[in-house]
Amino acid sequence: MAMKHYVTESMAYMISANMDQGSKEFQIEAAISKIYGSEAAWFCCDEAIQILGGMGYMRECGLERVMRDLRIFRIFEGTNDILRLFIALTGIQYAGSSMKELQKAMKNPVGNAGILFDFAGKRAKRAVGMSSGPSLTEHVHSSLATSADQTSKSIYEFGATVEDILMKHGKKIVDEQFVLNRLAESAIEIYAMVSVLSRASRSLTAGHSSAQHEALMCTTYCDEAFHKVKICLEETQSGRNLKIYSNLSQISQDVIQCGGLMQQHPLGF
C-alpha cells in the first residue's frame, strides 16, 4: 500500500511539474495518472478492510463509505477502460506517423537511403539482442542505475512491440482491444517507473532523511514493473495468448446472442 501511494504521488508531482514548465502535451500522462491513482486507491482501501477483518466492514470504522465513494473514480472523468484504449491508440498514432515516413521512403529507396538504413539498423540490433534505445542511467542517482537500466529496456521494448503490432495489424489494430489493453498496461508501468526514479533520485541527491526508504521502494517497484512490462509485451504477440483473446471474444459473443449464460445447470434448474 505504501509503495502504491508513493507511485501515485510521484506521478502527480511529475505531471504537475511538466505542466508548470509549460508543457502542452500531457493528455497521456494525465490518463495514466488517473487510471493508476484511482485503482491504487481502491486497492489500498480494499486491503485496509481486509486487514481490519469484520471490523473493517462496519459503518463505525468509516472505511465502508470510503470504498463506496472510491468506486466512482474508476468511472467518471473517463472510464479507466476507455482511457486504456486512449493511451494505447494515441501511442500507436505517434508510431504510425513514423511508419508512414518509412512507407514513403520505401517507394523511393535510393533517395531515402538514410531512413531505410536507420530502420534496418535498429531491426538488426534488436535481432541480435542489442538495444539502441534511450539510456536513463546518466539522469538518475548512481545507486538507482539498475532500475534506470530496467526502465530504459522497457521503453525500448515497448517501442519495438508497438512498431511490430502496427506493421501486423495496420488500421485494424482498433479492433484488437485485448492487445491494446496489454500495451496500455505496459505504458502505465513504464510511466510509473520513470516517476519514482525521478523522485527517488531527487531525494537521494538532496540527502533527505527518507532517501534510503524511497530508494528501496523505487528499486522494488521498478523490478516488479520491469517483469510486468515484459510479460504484457510478450502477450501481445504470443500465439497462445492471441488464441485466448479470440476465445474470449467468441465467448462474449455467444453470451450476448443467448441473452445470458448458455450452460445447462447440472441439477436441472
Side-chain angles (χ1 to χ4, degrees):
M1 288 192 286
M3 200 155 59
K4 284 187 177 291
H5 184 272
Y6 184 72
V7 175
T8 303
E9 268 192 351
S10 300
M11 284 185 176
Y13 279 127
M14 175 163 280
I15 189 173
S16 298
N18 290 341
M19 293 169 70
D20 288 343
Q21 291 169 11
S23 174
K24 302 297 182 182
E25 297 291 334
F26 50 80
Q27 294 91 337
I28 293 181
E29 291 88 342
I32 288 174
S33 301
K34 189 268 183 180
I35 290 172
Y36 191 93
S38 60
E39 293 182 358
W42 176 265
F43 171 84
C44 291
C45 184
D46 184 60
E47 284 290 290
I49 290 175
Q50 187 70 21
I51 290 169
L52 289 168
M55 185 59 195
Y57 197 73
M58 298 295 106
R59 181 172 295 174
E60 291 77 7
C61 183
L63 278 176
E64 52 87 24
R65 180 175 179 177
V66 173
M67 171 167 275
R68 188 168 63 252
D69 290 345
L70 279 175
R71 188 60 185 86
I72 192 63
F73 281 88
R74 289 154 62 193
I75 299 173
F76 69 17
E77 298 298 333
T79 67
N80 288 9
D81 311 273
I82 298 301
L83 287 178
R84 279 185 166 87
L85 294 178
F86 168 75
I87 291 166
L89 289 172
T90 302
I92 285 176
Q93 183 180 1
Y94 291 140
S97 300
S98 299
M99 295 301 290
K100 284 181 180 178
E101 185 179 357
L102 177 66
Q103 196 173 39
K104 291 179 181 178
M106 292 290 286
K107 295 178 181 178
N108 182 20
V110 177
N112 297 281
I115 296 175
L116 295 177
F117 285 137
D118 180 58
F119 179 76
K122 289 179 180 178
R123 302 285 292 191
K125 286 182 178 180
R126 197 189 321 162
V128 296
M130 293 174 61
S131 171
S132 59
S135 175
L136 298 177
T137 307
E138 60 190 86
H139 302 292
V140 303
H141 192 273
S142 58
S143 63
L144 302 176
T146 300
S147 297
D149 184 56
Q150 289 176 323
T151 306
S152 297
K153 288 178 179 177
S154 294
I155 293 170
Y156 174 72
E157 290 302 326
F158 177 80
T161 301
V162 169
E163 179 186 283
D164 289 340
I165 288 173
L166 194 54
M167 291 178 68
K168 178 180 179 180
H169 296 286
K171 292 181 180 179
K172 293 183 179 179
I173 186 60
V174 295
D175 299 320
E176 302 294 332
Q177 293 191 17
F178 289 108
V179 173
L180 293 173
N181 183 271
R182 298 307 185 278
L183 287 179
E185 288 298 326
S186 300
I188 292 168
E189 291 296 340
I190 290 171
Y191 186 68
M193 292 166 79
V194 172
S195 298
V196 294
L197 271 171
S198 175
R199 185 177 180 186
S201 290
R202 181 181 183 279
S203 293
L204 286 165
T205 302
H208 292 166
S209 58
S210 62
Q212 292 304 318
H213 178 68
E214 291 184 49
L216 181 61
M217 287 196 289
C218 174
T219 54
T220 302
Y221 187 85
C222 286
D223 194 44
E224 276 192 322
F226 175 68
H227 293 287
K228 285 181 184 177
V229 170
K230 183 179 180 181
I231 291 171
C232 282
L233 294 179
E234 287 174 351
E235 287 181 351
T236 63
Q237 301 185 73
S238 161
R240 172 180 172 275
N241 284 92
L242 294 177
K243 177 61 176 175
I244 290 174
Y245 301 156
S246 177
N247 291 345
L248 290 171
S249 179
Q250 184 60 53
I251 290 170
S252 64
Q253 290 177 36
D254 291 343
V255 172
I256 291 171
Q257 290 177 3
C258 181
L261 300 176
M262 295 184 66
Q263 68 268 23
Q264 298 296 314
H265 199 288
L267 299 180
F269 294 164

